[in-house]
Amino acid sequence: MSKSQSTGGTVTVDDITYQWQLEREPHLSDDDGWKGMTIALLQRDAKRQAWVEFPAPKRLLKGLPRGRLQLDDATISRCVRAALSAGWEPMSRGKPVVFMVDADGN
């Protein structure tokens, strides 16, 4: 049996449930070179998403085969906390807000 990589789920931070979903795999951009994986966060019953972009994996920069970070609840929780501390207001309206994090989600 092979491992399946999760591309979405829910996580609870400070008694609030957030849904997350893989928005973009790491990819090569014509303008910016390698871009990292992006996940979308949405507080349950809220209107505004936060997109959290990870740095490009070092393996891609070295020309090695593609791969992405393994996402676990702890990493997603750190992403939620980082987005909230950077000014994400889930109950406001508007386009998704993009935040950059490190490989650990901070």
Side-chain angles (χ1 to χ4, degrees), residues 91-102:
M91 299 308 282
S92 66
R93 294 174 36 154
K95 293 181 180 181
V97 183
V98 179
F99 298 100
M100 298 292 295
V101 294
D102 63 14

Side-chain angles (χ1 to χ4, degrees), residues 4-78:
S4 62
Q5 294 184 345
S6 180
T7 59
T10 59
V11 65
T12 302
V13 177
D14 298 331
D15 296 325
I16 299 173
T17 302
Y18 296 87
Q19 298 170 333
W20 69 272
Q21 176 180 336
L22 179 66
E23 194 66 31
R24 249 182 258 148
E25 294 275 356
H27 65 283
L28 185 59
S29 167
D30 291 337
D31 297 329
D32 301 323
W34 281 104
K35 295 193 65 122
M37 165 178 67
T38 302
I39 61 169
L41 301 173
L42 182 64
Q43 180 180 323
R44 188 158 288 164
D45 300 325
K47 298 175 176 145
R48 192 171 204 178
Q49 284 186 336
W51 286 8
V52 179
E53 186 175 322
F54 290 86
K58 291 181 181 179
R59 64 184 298 124
L60 294 176
L61 300 175
K62 294 178 182 176
L64 296 172
R66 286 185 170 201
R68 72 169 128 103
L69 295 171
Q70 296 298 317
L71 297 173
D72 57 10
D73 287 347
T75 302
I76 301 298
S77 295
R78 286 191 296 273

